[in-house]
Amino acid sequence: MQKVAGKFDVIVIGAGVAGAAVIRELSKYNLSAAILEKEPDVCFGATKGTHGIVHCGFPVDDAPIKNRTEMKGCLMMEQACADLDVPYQKAGKLLVAFNEEELRALQKALVSLKRNGVPGVELVTDKDRLRVMEPNISDQVIAALHTANTAVVSPWGLVFGLIENAVANGAKLYIDAKVQSITANNESGFLLQTSAGSFAAGYIVNAAGLFAGKVAGLIKDNSFVVSGTRQQRIVMDKKIEGIVRHVVRDLRATGAHGDFVSPTVYGDILLGAKVENVPEVGDLRTTREGLDGWILPRCRRLIPSLPPQMSIKPFSGYIPKAGADYLIKPSPVNSRFINIVLGGSGFSASLAVGEYVVNEILPSVGLQLQKKPGFNPIRKDIPHIHDLTDEERAELIGKDPLYGHIVCRCETVSEGEIVEAIRRGARTRDGVKFRTRSGMGRCQGGFCGPRVLRILSRELGIPVEQVTRKGEGSTEVLYRTKELLKEAKGGSK
Ligand SMILES: Cc1cc2nc3c(=O)[nH]c(=O)nc-3n(C[C@H](O)[C@H](O)[C@H](O)COP(=O)(O)OP(=O)(O)OC[C@H]3O[C@@H](n4cnc5c(N)ncnc54)[C@H](O)[C@@H]3O)c2cc1C
């Protein structure tokens, strides 16, 4: 029998945005809590691919939990980002109409938003005003529903911020900890066997995203099935920063993530999205039909001056869901095991989901909560050279000269930032990339990639051949060429 690596009041399985929001909320209370993640870093699941648009709570039928948490989560986001030093921009959204029929649909949507108490909404029918708000919008647009609270946020920044703050307040994080089996014992809770040892927990929160059904199956809970949709999209160079100020979205599109052109907190522009049901769950391929045949023409219908040659990275993500509404409830097999499966706007809802799970659901099944007097909500991000004034840069470089050595030229990322990212938990090239943005610019890591590999190798004390892009099966250096040459020479003797 494996030694128990940790015994906790609550264990959260899965370090995406849902698990991160739950563990941060738990860290506000006097209890022991841990989060287990199967990957070598946090935010490597669906959340890694999110657009980071914070929707304001567009009500849909048969989804009361989604409607409630999305609106509340949106209203919580600004303060949380301020506390956690996460890039946030209240961009607002324009949902546009091209004809009278669409205008009538916008009028209906406005009534529905107001009835649901969504603040900051108005219908803009003055075309001149619309063009002042969004100068590059198509001449064919006749009206737009403006939701002022829609925001854009760094999706990775939020997860890193929530988890770092939870850990600073006493929670524990275990990476490379895949939950493989769970034994339930009605008196003391659960015993979990993982790839990082065994753990005991009084309560479990299953936030395993696409794998939540499999994890629930470990306690023989087969009450739900997780499926999902693939979304393809395109990142455009920050050279066209400012081409849109709002998230501009086509009313024709279905679902929360149809055709849109969006600013990001980093200046690049996101185009999306080709949303599809694909036969293989988790399929992340992109297709020419999706990118050139769907996204580009549809986005140029909204913003005709969009230059296709400014596309720097096409990619896709997979949104897990378990029905029309979010699934957030105790398992029918064991009420101390809480299942969470979000959906299309799960990122927006995440903070409210964390609060709902910790303050309502867990107490309703017996968890005692007592506020932790010393809880500190503040966390500081890695200092980013790119965002500092000349004086601030000089001061930082004076303290640590590594901040004066630029490794990623496209995004102006210094060696100091990369070393700090590793100190905070990055073990892979993606871990560094999502914490610092090295490799996210126009050259997509062509210049800085090998340098980042060498820094990871040096700081982690492992050979460069063992450094991976995102964990097992993704090593980037296969051989040292000189050794191959030596071998070849040896072979020819
Ligand atoms: C392309 C795309 C764009 C999106 N855009 C938006 C948007 O703009 N706005 C918005 O609000 N929402 C958006 N969403 C939706 C949102 O991203 C998701 O709802 C949300 O990220 C789901 O988070 P999660 O934590 O539930 O899942 P995940 O992020 O997938 O986290 C689950 C974690 O559990 C881990 N795990 C799985 N099994 C185990 C195990 N056995 N042991 C330990 N760990 C395990 C996984 O490795 C993973 O890290 C988008 C989604 C996609 C894919």
Side-chain angles (χ1 to χ4, degrees):
M1 176 101 171
Q2 263 179 326
K3 197 169 151 268
V4 175
K7 208 170 167 193
F8 297 93
D9 295 318
V10 187
I11 282 185
V12 180
I13 302 174
V17 75
V22 171
I23 194 78
R24 203 270 184 140
E25 193 62 31
L26 284 167
S27 75
K28 295 178 179 170
Y29 296 95
N30 269 329
L31 48 80
S32 58
I35 183 161
L36 310 182
E37 170 53 53
K38 73 178 169 68
E39 299 295 332
D41 206 340
V42 306
C43 202
F44 269 25
T47 310
K48 189 181 187 181
T50 182
H51 305 130
I53 300 171
V54 182
H55 301 286
C56 67
F58 220 93
V60 292
D61 292 341
D62 303 326
I65 302 176
K66 177 208 147 325
N67 292 343
R68 169 186 152 181
T69 52
E70 187 184 315
M71 182 170 80
K72 190 163 180 212
C74 173
L75 297 176
M76 293 168 73
M77 194 61 83
E78 189 169 6
Q79 183 61 51
C81 288
D83 287 348
L84 300 170
D85 204 9
V86 174
Y88 170 97
Q89 188 187 326
K90 198 182 275 188
K93 180 168 79 178
L94 295 171
L95 181 61
V96 305
F98 283 86
N99 56 46
E100 291 298 323
E101 194 189 337
E102 291 179 356
L103 175 57
R104 281 192 292 280
L106 288 187
Q107 284 160 340
K108 268 175 113 180
L110 177 69
V111 172
S112 162
L113 283 165
K114 287 201 162 163
R115 197 184 301 126
N116 281 276
V118 177
V121 291
E122 61 165 340
L123 191 58
V124 184
T125 49
D126 175 345
K127 282 181 81 169
D128 292 336
R129 184 169 160 231
L130 199 53
R131 259 144 219 103
V132 172
M133 291 170 82
E134 199 56 78
N136 294 310
I137 204 162
S138 161
D139 287 347
Q140 305 300 309
V141 170
I142 61 164
L145 182 59
H146 178 220
T147 54
N149 286 322
T150 302
V152 289
V153 164
S154 162
W156 323 289
L158 183 66
V159 176
F160 296 135
L162 288 166
I163 292 187
E164 283 180 20
N165 185 242
V167 169
N169 282 294
K172 297 273 186 261
L173 164 69
Y174 296 87
I175 53 159
D176 286 323
K178 180 175 182 178
V179 177
Q180 293 159 329
S181 74
I182 303 175
T183 317
N185 166 335
N186 278 343
E187 272 143 47
S188 57
F190 304 92
L191 189 65
L192 298 86
Q193 303 298 340
T194 81
S195 46
S198 64
F199 294 83
Y203 296 81
I204 288 179
V205 177
N206 168 17
L210 191 56
F211 302 91
K214 279 196 178 148
V215 170
L218 299 176
I219 62 156
K220 301 199 168 41
D221 173 358
N222 300 312
S223 60
F224 64 96
V225 174
V226 183
S227 61
T229 46
R230 178 173 75 184
Q231 286 207 12
Q232 301 184 50
R233 72 294 185 42
I234 301 172
V235 182
M236 309 288 276
D237 198 334
K238 55 168 68 166
K239 280 189 185 143
I240 58 165
E241 179 174 10
I243 198 164
V244 283
R245 298 170 179 173
H246 302 78
V247 178
V248 180
R249 195 188 144 212
D250 195 335
L251 177 70
R252 290 184 313 172
T254 50
H257 299 280
D259 309 330
F260 67 83
V261 181
S262 173
T264 69
V265 283
Y266 299 114
D268 36 30
I269 302 291
L270 261 182
L271 310 186
K274 173 72 173 164
V275 183
E276 316 158 87
N277 289 314
V278 282
E280 193 189 322
V281 172
D283 178 354
L284 289 180
R285 279 172 293 188
T286 50
T287 62
R288 184 156 295 278
E289 192 275 322
L291 303 169
D292 295 348
W294 182 285
I295 298 177
L296 277 174
R298 283 168 173 254
C299 289
R300 294 188 79 199
R301 181 172 181 256
L302 295 166
I303 308 291
S305 55
L306 263 180
Q309 70 277 15
M310 286 293 154
S311 151
I312 57 172
K313 180 154 175 87
F315 64 113
S316 70
Y318 195 88
I319 305 187
K321 60 176 187 178
D325 202 357
Y326 298 165
L327 173 89
I328 310 179
K329 59 181 178 189
S331 159
V333 171
N334 187 322
S335 64
R336 293 159 78 123
F337 187 101
I338 316 299
N339 289 309
I340 305 180
V341 184
L342 304 181
S345 51
F347 179 77
S348 314
S350 56
L351 298 174
V353 168
E355 211 183 71
Y356 176 47
V357 169
V358 175
N359 298 310
E360 293 187 43
I361 298 194
L362 283 167
S364 77
V365 293
L367 182 71
Q368 306 273 323
L369 292 180
Q370 191 191 34
K371 285 260 180 217
K372 192 185 280 173
F375 172 76
N376 178 5
I378 306 299
R379 166 261 184 188
K380 287 309 280 176
D381 192 12
I382 298 170
H384 295 294
I385 279 285
H386 180 273
D387 304 332
L388 302 181
T389 62
D390 287 349
E391 292 73 30
E392 288 167 335
R393 281 181 195 174
E395 194 189 329
L396 187 60
I397 294 165
K399 284 187 196 148
D400 183 348
L402 287 183
Y403 282 94
H405 177 213
I406 299 304
V407 175
C408 168
R409 290 186 187 166
C410 302
E411 296 292 311
T412 323
V413 181
S414 65
E415 185 169 353
E417 288 157 74
I418 293 168
V419 170
E420 178 61 14
I422 298 167
R423 199 185 65 73
R424 293 187 187 208
R427 296 282 172 277
T428 62
R429 195 140 85 84
D430 274 3
V432 169
K433 173 173 159 177
F434 290 104
R435 282 178 180 82
T436 65
R437 288 191 59 75
S438 63
M440 281 199 180
R442 178 142 200 114
C443 90
Q444 288 290 301
F447 177 78
C448 65
R451 291 165 169 226
V452 172
L453 283 180
R454 277 199 293 273
I455 299 170
L456 274 160
S457 157
R458 182 190 77 209
E459 295 297 315
L460 298 175
I462 56 175
V464 78
E465 298 92 318
Q466 282 176 24
V467 179
T468 66
R469 188 162 70 81
K470 53 179 185 171
E472 211 181 313
S474 62
T475 41
E476 297 194 308
V477 175
L478 299 180
Y479 321 98
R480 287 176 189 261
T481 40
K482 284 187 183 155
E483 277 167 21
L484 275 185
L485 281 173
K486 265 193 237 157
E487 267 177 39
K489 272 189 192 161
S492 64
K493 266 180 195 168

